[in-house]
Amino acid sequence: DISNFDTSSLLYFGYTFGCCKNLKEIVYGDKFDTSKVEDFSGLFTETNFETIDLSMYDTSSGIYMYNMFMDCVNLKEIDLSGFVTTTFTDISGMFARCINLEEVDLGTFDTRNLTDIGYYYQNPDTGVETFSGMFTGCTNLATPPALPATTLIDKCYSYMFQGCTSLTQAPE
């Protein structure tokens, strides 16, 4: 229960719930404000949620979202429709090894500022959309998300679906 926490001045929120394997729910309360947070990396890494309510999160100032849900082995579905992603530069490994993840909608992702694709390939240029390793090891992902990138470079999708053994079609 973090309902009494005033989070309005936080810049770093990364790994806040990471590795909290027994966490069943998060009670946010009226003081929960992430409008200034720049770093959401690893926020839910290795938690056991099947679904996560992200409706309280204001991501409009975010820069880092890498490994945000990495190793969330029970995560089956996630709604990112409220996420503002125009300021993010790194979303690599965001869902890596979420072995029960079945479907993700990235339709609202505006990724024009992505510059860091993380641990597989480092891109020194700016303004290139990259998704490397984003779904690596998601063995139950049957439907690939539509890929929002419009500016591509070599390897920008490298390892994105590596080990996704349930995929029956290529992403569009």
Side-chain angles (χ1 to χ4, degrees):
D1 183 351
I2 60 171
S3 60
N4 291 320
F5 292 8
D6 181 358
T7 58
S8 61
S9 61
L10 286 180
L11 296 177
Y12 178 81
F13 207 51
Y15 295 91
T16 300
F17 305 112
C19 299
C20 293
K21 295 179 188 258
N22 294 321
L23 189 61
K24 302 290 183 211
E25 73 173 312
I26 302 169
V27 179
Y28 295 108
D30 295 337
K31 296 179 184 178
F32 188 75
D33 177 0
T34 58
S35 61
K36 294 181 182 173
V37 174
E38 296 176 353
D39 191 341
F40 292 93
S41 60
L43 183 61
F44 297 102
T45 294
E46 293 186 40
T47 56
N48 285 318
F49 293 108
E50 288 186 18
T51 62
I52 300 173
D53 180 7
L54 300 168
S55 62
M56 297 288 294
Y57 285 80
D58 180 343
T59 59
S60 60
S61 295
I63 298 172
Y64 307 108
M65 204 184 303
Y66 61 87
N67 300 342
M68 190 173 187
F69 306 100
M70 184 175 74
D71 292 319
C72 290
V73 296
N74 293 321
L75 189 63
K76 292 182 179 181
E77 60 183 58
I78 191 150
D79 180 3
L80 302 175
S81 62
F83 270 33
V84 175
T85 56
T86 53
T87 56
F88 283 93
T89 62
D90 186 351
I91 59 172
S92 62
M94 190 173 178
F95 301 100
R97 297 185 301 271
C98 292
I99 60 173
N100 285 307
L101 189 63
E102 297 172 357
E103 190 171 336
V104 176
D105 182 359
L106 298 179
T108 60
F109 269 39
D110 181 339
T111 54
R112 70 184 91 187
N113 290 314
L114 289 180
T115 57
D116 187 351
I117 60 176
Y119 47 87
Y120 289 115
Y121 175 77
Q122 190 69 38
N123 173 23
D125 300 328
T126 59
V128 178
E129 300 172 11
T130 55
F131 303 89
S132 182
M134 194 172 186
F135 298 99
T136 294
C138 293
T139 55
N140 282 330
L141 185 65
T143 306
L147 303 179
T150 57
T151 304
L152 304 178
I153 61 162
D154 186 36
K155 300 182 183 177
C156 78
Y157 285 124
S158 65
Y159 302 97
M160 186 175 185
F161 297 105
Q162 179 187 28
C164 295
T165 54
S166 294
L167 282 180
T168 57
Q169 63 185 21
E172 295 179 15

